[in-house]
Amino acid sequence: MATAPPPPTESGRGGGIAASRPGRAAGGTGLSLRPLQVTWEMTGACEWRISPTRLGRLPQNKRELSTAEAFHLIQQVAVLHVPLFVLTGGDPLLRPDVFPIVEFASRHSVRTSMTLAPTSLLDAGVIAELKARGLMRAAFWLNGSTAALHDASIRVPGTHRRTLEMIGACHEAGLAVQVNTMISRRNHQDLEPLAEMLARLDIMLWNVFFLVPPDGNSTQELLNAVEHEEAFGKVYAASRRVSFQVKTSEGQHYQRYLLQQRVKESRGRLREPDVMTRAQKGVNESRSVIFINREGYVYPSRYLPLPAGNVCESPLEEIFHESELLNSLRDTSLLKGKCGQCPVRNLCGGSRARAYALTGDLFAEDPCCAYQP
């Protein structure tokens, strides 16, 4: 989804943002809170008409951070001791300074992953150079176990084959591999075959993204609540069989599903109300994951187009701790509907990006959750 132009304020379309004390996240976490992952969109440019990480055509004339600004951002990420810094695009290889940026991050002890597109710019030599400069992980998109499924989602013939070839090149270079998958109506029946294929690819992580449409008028590919539960079941079953880690993005309610499976598998030793009410805070928009676009604007997630500030104007640490938008999103007392009543709201909280896209209200219940508290 293309990032929307920055609005003049941090207010949502339908859900207002309550004032929060600067530097103080809800629940008393305060300044001890830090991002677990910072994702930076290095560029919006891509030789393909459709980027694998976005849902529409990319503008090619937006301002991008300079090399000096990129170095300054990396220094800010280092100050926050962020465990993972993700470089993405567009196609990061279209930046002439991509290798110096990776090397600068490595010299500052910032663990860096890069989402790569298997375009004509990527080959085994580039992968080996990225590894030599300090990249610790490469990520690729695979939206299907077959070329027909994946290539149709990217709209570029041959990308499935090229992706598999480049994953092989990463293994030859000793570079760890992550695979991202966007789940939608076109491929949710392919989850089991895809998991089986990934098990043969020797990857370290499978990140399953659940679709967030641009708005409420673009829901043709969106799974409904029941289909989300079915997909959770397939992802969970796969996670029990494979050796690599499985995580979800914009599937916050998968954490609730995991708790329910824990209760079922306890054979009566655990009670669902007890397990649910003891759930700790989880990873959600603004809590531990943030996205920085190519112009330096900071967002709660890639799919929630409300900016909290700009790293060219304010330090990232200040934005993360003092943004009214981010602190409001951390306050689960603002959640509405069944999300506000849910015993695992601190662990899950629903997808704020999906709620905003479908209802216009930042704090509305996630329309794609089947759980009824």
Side-chain angles (χ1 to χ4, degrees), residues 9 34 42 64 108 118 165 191 216 255 257 260 264 281 298 305 336 363:
T9 69
R34 66 167 180 170
M42 300 179 74
E64 297 175 353
H108 285 77
E165 290 173 355
L191 276 168
Q255 300 305 315
Y257 182 90
Q260 290 177 306
K264 288 180 181 179
K281 279 189 177 292
V298 178
K336 302 174 183 177
F363 302 107

Side-chain angles (χ1 to χ4, degrees), residues 35-229:
L36 296 179
Q37 177 178 309
V38 172
T39 299
W40 171 41
E41 178 190 43
M42 300 179 74
T43 178
C46 184
E47 71 177 38
W48 295 340
R49 178 173 170 268
I50 299 293
S51 166
T53 59
R54 290 193 180 266
L55 300 178
R57 179 172 289 188
L58 292 167
Q60 301 296 321
N61 57 354
K62 290 285 188 179
R63 177 191 180 276
E64 297 175 353
L65 297 187
S66 67
T67 303
E69 289 169 332
F71 287 173
H72 184 55
L73 171 60
I74 290 168
Q75 290 172 325
Q76 295 180 65
V77 170
V79 166
L80 280 168
H81 301 287
V82 176
L84 184 63
F85 185 46
V86 178
L87 304 174
T88 185
D91 183 359
L93 297 184
L94 282 170
R95 281 195 65 125
D97 55 0
V98 62
F99 295 130
I101 286 174
V102 171
E103 186 173 18
F104 188 86
S106 179
R107 290 206 316 265
H108 285 77
S109 301
V110 174
R111 297 176 71 251
T112 305
S113 172
M114 182 180 292
T115 306
L116 294 167
T119 66
S120 61
L121 297 176
L122 185 64
D123 57 28
V126 169
I127 288 171
E129 181 69 13
L130 288 169
K131 169 68 175 177
R133 296 293 185 112
L135 190 71
M136 53 78 61
R137 184 192 304 168
F140 296 89
W141 286 88
L142 271 176
N143 293 333
S145 62
T146 65
L149 271 174
H150 176 74
D151 292 1
S153 71
I154 304 299
R155 304 185 200 179
V156 180
T159 54
H160 188 269
R161 174 184 55 79
R162 278 279 295 162
T163 298
L164 297 182
E165 290 173 355
M166 291 302 98
I167 289 176
C170 287
H171 291 325
E172 292 178 5
L175 184 60
V177 175
Q178 167 183 331
V179 167
N180 301 328
T181 300
M182 181 68 73
I183 299 300
S184 67
R185 283 195 176 277
R186 74 172 69 218
N187 67 349
H188 71 107
Q189 298 295 343
D190 186 56
L191 276 168
E192 290 157 325
L194 179 57
E196 291 175 7
M197 185 188 76
L198 296 181
R200 298 190 297 271
L201 292 182
D202 193 25
I203 66 172
M204 67 170 296
L205 173 67
W206 185 25
N207 193 355
V208 183
F209 286 72
F210 286 86
L211 182 70
V212 176
D215 53 56
N217 297 319
S218 307
T219 60
Q220 299 87 346
E221 295 294 322
L222 181 66
L223 301 184
N224 61 35
V226 172
E227 289 167 333
H228 270 81
E229 294 293 303

Side-chain angles (χ1 to χ4, degrees), residues 169-331:
C170 287
H171 291 325
E172 292 178 5
L175 184 60
V177 175
Q178 167 183 331
V179 167
N180 301 328
T181 300
M182 181 68 73
I183 299 300
S184 67
R185 283 195 176 277
R186 74 172 69 218
N187 67 349
H188 71 107
Q189 298 295 343
D190 186 56
L191 276 168
E192 290 157 325
L194 179 57
E196 291 175 7
M197 185 188 76
L198 296 181
R200 298 190 297 271
L201 292 182
D202 193 25
I203 66 172
M204 67 170 296
L205 173 67
W206 185 25
N207 193 355
V208 183
F209 286 72
F210 286 86
L211 182 70
V212 176
D215 53 56
N217 297 319
S218 307
T219 60
Q220 299 87 346
E221 295 294 322
L222 181 66
L223 301 184
N224 61 35
V226 172
E227 289 167 333
H228 270 81
E229 294 293 303
E230 294 172 352
F232 290 164
K234 294 175 182 178
V235 171
Y236 178 71
S239 73
R240 302 296 296 272
R241 297 192 306 268
V242 300
S243 59
F244 51 82
Q245 181 186 357
V246 179
K247 69 182 292 285
T248 62
S249 293
E250 297 302 340
Q252 288 84 351
H253 40 326
Y254 181 61
Q255 300 305 315
R256 178 264 307 158
Y257 182 90
L258 291 179
L259 290 179
Q260 290 177 306
Q261 296 309 302
R262 180 183 171 194
V263 171
K264 288 180 181 179
E265 293 166 6
S266 75
R267 298 185 179 183
R269 293 191 303 274
L270 298 173
R271 295 178 63 252
E272 183 169 305
D274 295 336
V275 172
M276 295 293 193
T277 54
R278 289 200 300 265
Q280 301 298 311
K281 279 189 177 292
V283 176
N284 206 330
E285 296 104 335
S286 83
R287 293 182 190 167
S288 301
V289 180
I290 56 174
F291 174 76
I292 301 170
N293 81 346
R294 54 187 176 268
E295 298 175 84
Y297 285 97
V298 178
Y299 294 87
S301 92
R302 178 162 209 154
Y303 305 99
L304 182 52
L306 297 175
N310 190 297
V311 294
C312 297
E313 300 169 359
S314 304
L316 178 60
E317 182 176 25
E318 177 183 311
I319 295 169
F320 186 72
H321 287 130
E322 300 185 7
S323 161
E324 182 182 341
L325 170 66
L326 298 184
N327 279 317
S328 293
L329 284 167
R330 294 168 188 143
D331 186 353

